[in-house]
Amino acid sequence: MLSEARAKNARMGITGHLLYTEEVFVQCIEGSPEAIDSLWKSLQRDDRHYELQILAKGPIEQRRYQDWSMAFSS
């Protein structure tokens, strides 16, 4: 799943970081508003995801994960 997400994010111009801890995933997603909106809608339709929440949303001055289509840590 991670390699698929990395490829999709790279195609969409999305960068970010995925953190997994104790059966909970937290993800920081960076990209254009259109790409983020498209990804969010895709995640909501995906049966593997549930109880999705947006914790924060807004513009940033520069990307924190510009070299990562999706960094991962646990």
Side-chain angles (χ1 to χ4, degrees):
M1 188 164 100
L2 185 58
S3 61
E4 291 174 19
R6 285 178 170 155
K8 181 178 182 177
N9 287 356
R11 284 192 308 273
M12 297 176 73
I14 290 174
T15 56
H17 181 257
L18 178 64
L19 171 66
Y20 173 73
T21 179
E22 298 180 25
E23 299 183 20
V24 174
F25 288 91
V26 178
Q27 186 170 7
C28 174
I29 303 169
E30 307 166 326
S32 71
E34 298 80 17
I36 299 292
D37 186 54
S38 177
L39 179 61
W40 177 249
K41 288 176 182 174
S42 175
L43 293 173
Q44 290 178 306
R45 290 188 304 267
D46 190 327
D47 292 339
R48 297 172 294 182
H49 299 84
Y50 57 93
E51 297 182 24
L52 298 175
Q53 297 179 25
I54 296 176
L55 301 178
K57 184 177 179 179
I60 56 176
E61 288 188 27
Q62 71 179 44
R63 292 184 187 214
R64 178 176 237 168
Y65 306 103
Q66 66 269 6
D67 297 329
W68 296 92
S69 58
M70 185 183 298
F72 176 76
S73 58
S74 60

